[in-house]
Amino acid sequence: MSDPQTAPASRERTGIRLGLWARGPSRWHIALTVVFLALLSVAPLWVEASGRGYLVTVLTRVVIFGLAAMSLDFVMGYGGMVSLGHATFLGAGAYTAGALTYHSLDGSRLLGIPGTDQALVTWPLATVVGALLGLVIGGLSLRTKGVYFIMATLAFNQMIYFLFNALEIYGGDDGVGLFAASRAIGPLDASDDIVFFYVCFAVLVVFTVILNLVVRAPFGRVVRGCRSNMARMAALGYQTYRYRLAAFALSAAITSLAGAMAVTESQFLSPSFAEWTESGELLIMVIVGGLGSLIGGVIGAGALFLLEELSIDITDNWQFFVGIGLLAIVLGAPRGLTGTLLGGRRSHD
Amino acid sequence: MNLFIEQTLNGLQLGFTLLMVSAGLTLIFGIMNIINLAHGSLFMVGAFVAADVGGRTGNYLLALLAGIAGAAVAGLIVELGLIRRLYHRDHLYQVLATFALVLIANQAVQMIWGLTPRSVSAPAFLDRTVPVLPGLPYPAYRLAIIATGIAVIVFLHLLVERTRVGMWIRAGRTHRELVGAFGVNVRLLYTLVFAVGAGLAGLAGVVAAPFLSVESGIGDHFLILSFVVIVVGGIGSLKGALYGSLMLGLADTWARTYLPDLFGQFVDPSTAATAGASVASASIYLVMVVVLVVKPNGLFGLADE
């Protein structure tokens, strides 16, 4: 599975088992990406036509959280950085967009700036905040490696979560509703759920293309090289720390954008966006969908939300079954849905 | 001055509670190289079993023993049923599998004990204050926790440094295969260490329960705090776990006590209270940031392999 020339030296236990598309996107991979996105693009029309219009918001959440999971897959599946703290950035984006929206409804100012609920302002701003926070947290956490990195990202996640909990102005741990906010995206009024779905879908498509290009670009090759064999990349003269940090910040920025989109979608701001279990759920989406495939994050989000939607009528304890299912996947089908779907050789550690 | 002594004791009490969780976690990581997110769930199991047994019998000692035993048995089942299969897997899959356990455990305690939070009360014989200094009464229960924490670290120190099992544990950290080659049943050793760590997490859950409301997910925060302890103290090091726990316990308690007052010197009281509280809750992570900058492998980390 791994490149035979680098495999023998790659003894670091913290290195990640190479994903299905370790050598970059194959033709099958691109085909799967296109087919899945095409299916997703007609899904809202289909559920609407079949009289289950309430599912449109679920599909929108698949798109938004799929975008976050995809950007987590970028650092994890391609960069070999197992982050158990990506909810930090989801929360950062949500609080950036949510706070601006809150102040626009309130008429008050945030650090002297008037609030706004215009997504063309809140979303890009959230992306920038995510990138900066990613630089800080990634910069500190990447000083460590392996299991320390996992623990450090999780610890920062908890810190940010408690900070949001302490923001009494936005309702503390209860959060605050922003239901009066408009869903203005430029001149477009996206208060209709289907319109809003397509806005989010367009964002997802743009970043699917961007990330697929990035992993094939020279930058992405260096990042992938760092996953396989950091010492070798350093010996080749690459500043591995900087490449990994840049990749982490890019991922944080996209996740933060997803957080902003999520708060525009739900019109409710609360610290639960940044809860550590949310980081775990993003990780589940990536693994269920297939590590190192990008589109797998969206497929995983789809699978998880579908399971939630299906089981919520039957049982309150759906997380119990998510846990069981996850165990089954980890022990039985470690390459996720896409990996199992596309078949191929079983890899060994 | 009395306030300072009182808060320092509170900090030590929190620190020693943390130590009970993180010592097991660091031993497990040090010897088995496995990251176990479900360690917080074992804390939760200890608290719930103690709340249940305590509620039925009204006997604190029985509840304590049941909590420890419950967590240790849960740990045994988890090790034999799952963790064993993960030793040679990548950390990512260890994270996922043990996160799955967290989801299952959090939901399972709700299915067994319902959604209503439970409470554990401190034992009657410790439900009083003792003067630690003339004119400074202090809750006996908190002192008992500190004493228990000291007993735990002495026990672990003797276990690791002075016994044959401890010798295997120390050897297993660096020369896993060799220990097996000398005829030590490494699997059994792992199971034993895991059960001891689980029992300690359960103990922490029981002793901390009177300060908390016993509900689903109560162990998660302690799990993450233990990770901070380990990042600060260094993986696999009991000394690191001890100093890390105490540092964080003191930092947290002192920051909560003094920061709001300190901020009050500069801004109005209500802003100071809010800002002080949020900075205080971040204080332990700030300790971690400093350590990450100065010593990325932790203060007492084993040499980086």
Side-chain angles (χ1 to χ4, degrees):
Chain A
M1 194 86 192
S2 63
D3 184 345
Q5 290 187 321
T6 58
S10 169
R11 283 293 300 148
E12 200 184 336
R13 243 187 76 80
T14 53
I16 291 189
R17 176 215 298 264
L18 294 180
L20 184 63
W21 292 286
R23 297 199 190 124
S26 69
R27 247 183 313 160
W28 284 111
H29 168 212
I30 292 168
L32 184 72
T33 304
V34 170
V35 167
F36 186 76
L37 287 179
L39 285 175
L40 194 54
S41 73
V42 295
L45 303 176
W46 178 67
V47 298
E48 189 83 351
S50 63
R52 280 168 294 188
Y54 60 94
L55 284 175
V56 172
T57 57
V58 177
L59 288 169
T60 310
R61 282 170 57 218
V62 169
V63 168
I64 294 171
F65 285 85
L67 176 64
M70 180 189 278
S71 71
L72 174 60
D73 187 24
F74 171 64
V75 284
M76 215 161 67
Y78 295 85
M81 296 169 258
V82 180
S83 165
L84 193 50
H86 256 50
T88 314
F89 309 116
L90 213 53
Y95 269 79
T96 307
L100 285 168
T101 308
Y102 177 85
H103 289 284
S104 85
L105 296 178
D106 198 33
S108 57
R109 284 168 173 264
L110 171 67
L111 309 169
I113 312 164
T116 174
D117 56 3
Q118 170 55 259
L120 283 190
V121 178
T122 60
W123 291 7
L125 213 58
T127 314
V128 172
V129 168
L132 294 176
L133 194 63
L135 279 178
V136 174
I137 291 179
L140 288 164
S141 306
L142 281 172
R143 293 174 60 80
T144 66
K145 59 182 184 183
V147 75
Y148 270 105
F149 181 80
I150 301 175
M151 293 180 184
T153 49
L154 175 58
F156 282 119
N157 192 158
Q158 191 79 343
M159 174 175 103
I160 297 288
Y161 174 69
F162 280 123
L163 285 180
F164 290 151
N165 265 297
L167 293 176
E168 291 299 335
I169 179 171
Y170 309 123
D173 55 351
D174 290 329
V176 62
L178 306 165
F179 306 112
S182 74
R183 269 190 197 155
I185 295 148
L188 179 72
D189 174 19
S191 48
D192 180 70
D193 283 337
I194 294 215
V195 175
F196 188 69
F197 170 88
Y198 282 106
V199 171
C200 296
F201 183 74
V203 175
L204 174 69
V205 170
V206 167
F207 280 98
T208 306
V209 172
I210 290 178
L211 285 177
N212 270 294
L213 290 176
V214 166
V215 298
R216 295 167 130 175
F219 168 77
R221 287 176 177 272
V222 176
V223 170
R224 277 153 54 201
C226 293
R227 178 204 50 197
S228 308
N229 193 332
M230 195 120 62
R232 175 175 290 223
M233 294 309 286
L236 285 172
Y238 289 105
Q239 301 273 359
T240 54
Y241 178 81
R242 288 186 195 172
Y243 277 91
R244 283 153 59 87
L245 181 55
F248 191 85
L250 173 62
S251 169
I254 299 172
T255 307
S256 187
L257 170 62
M261 291 160 70
V263 87
T264 309
E265 193 275 324
S266 65
Q267 303 196 301
F268 192 86
L269 179 66
S270 89
S272 65
F273 282 110
E275 222 166 335
W276 81 277
T277 45
E278 194 61 52
S279 293
E281 273 168 30
L282 287 177
L283 221 107
I284 296 180
M285 291 174 195
V286 172
I287 297 302
V288 168
L291 183 69
S293 67
L294 294 177
I295 194 67
V298 191
I299 298 178
L304 209 64
F305 284 129
L306 190 70
L307 180 67
E308 179 181 352
E309 203 56 42
L310 288 177
S311 55
I312 212 123
D313 296 333
I314 308 165
T315 167
D316 289 336
N317 302 313
W318 70 278
Q319 288 212 320
F320 186 84
F321 299 101
V322 170
I324 302 273
L326 182 60
L327 275 186
I329 288 176
V330 171
L331 297 176
R335 288 178 307 128
L337 290 181
T338 48
T340 311
L341 211 69
L342 290 185
R345 203 151 49 88
R346 194 191 161 87
S347 66
H348 295 276
D349 284 39
Chain B
M1 191 59 202
N2 275 3
L3 177 70
F4 176 74
I5 295 174
E6 195 181 343
Q7 292 304 326
T8 303
L9 285 171
N10 283 348
L12 288 176
Q13 177 251 310
L14 175 62
F16 276 113
T17 312
L18 262 181
L19 174 70
M20 297 173 205
V21 186
S22 54
L25 201 60
T26 202
L27 275 187
I28 291 168
F29 187 85
I31 179 173
M32 307 174 193
N33 196 19
I34 191 159
I35 177 167
N36 178 21
L37 296 182
H39 205 67
S41 303
L42 298 167
F43 176 101
M44 175 173 74
V45 169
F48 266 98
V49 170
D52 191 291
V53 173
R56 280 173 210 270
T57 64
N59 185 331
Y60 183 82
L61 283 181
L62 210 58
L64 176 72
L65 292 177
I68 299 171
V73 169
L76 268 182
I77 296 171
V78 165
E79 204 277 342
L80 293 174
L82 176 71
I83 302 285
R84 213 158 241 226
R85 299 164 195 268
L86 296 172
Y87 290 130
H88 299 291
R89 297 289 295 273
D90 189 279
H91 286 314
L92 172 61
Y93 293 95
Q94 298 172 351
V95 165
L96 279 164
T98 54
F99 182 69
L101 281 184
V102 172
L103 293 180
I104 293 171
N106 281 350
Q107 210 63 248
V109 296
Q110 288 185 1
M111 287 151 84
I112 299 172
W113 284 291
L115 289 164
T116 322
R118 289 167 176 251
S119 62
V120 174
S121 41
F125 63 96
L126 290 171
D127 195 10
R128 58 196 173 92
T129 57
V130 285
V132 282
L133 278 178
L136 178 64
Y138 192 77
Y141 183 64
R142 287 178 185 262
L143 287 177
I145 293 180
I146 296 178
T148 310
I150 294 173
V152 163
I153 192 70
V154 169
F155 163 73
L156 285 179
H157 175 78
L158 292 178
L159 176 75
V160 171
E161 301 294 333
R162 294 277 188 277
T163 66
R164 184 165 289 267
V165 171
M167 194 175 74
W168 294 335
I169 291 175
R170 278 178 288 138
R173 281 204 287 243
T174 47
H175 299 87
R176 191 189 312 225
E177 282 84 6
L178 207 57
V179 175
F182 276 119
V184 176
N185 187 338
V186 178
R187 293 200 137 194
L188 188 67
L189 181 67
Y190 284 7
T191 310
L192 190 75
V193 172
F194 199 90
V196 169
L200 287 176
L203 169 66
V206 180
V207 301
F211 306 110
L212 306 165
S213 95
V214 179
E215 57 194 343
S216 173
I218 54 163
D220 296 356
H221 182 50
F222 276 84
L223 167 80
I224 298 172
L225 287 180
S226 305
F227 281 175
V228 180
V229 166
I230 290 177
V231 170
V232 168
I235 285 174
S237 153
L238 274 184
K239 200 167 145 195
L242 174 64
Y243 288 108
S245 301
L246 297 187
M247 267 170 72
L248 295 185
L250 289 171
D252 184 72
T253 313
W254 283 340
R256 271 175 215 287
T257 313
Y258 293 108
L259 279 183
D261 287 349
L262 187 70
F263 285 18
Q265 316 256 333
F266 307 102
V267 288
D268 66 280
S270 74
T271 317
T274 322
S278 48
V279 176
S281 68
S283 59
I284 53 167
Y285 304 100
L286 297 177
V287 173
M288 181 180 80
V289 168
V290 173
V291 171
L292 280 179
V293 169
V294 181
K295 279 196 89 172
N297 284 322
L299 298 176
F300 302 96
L302 302 172
D304 192 22
E305 66 265 50

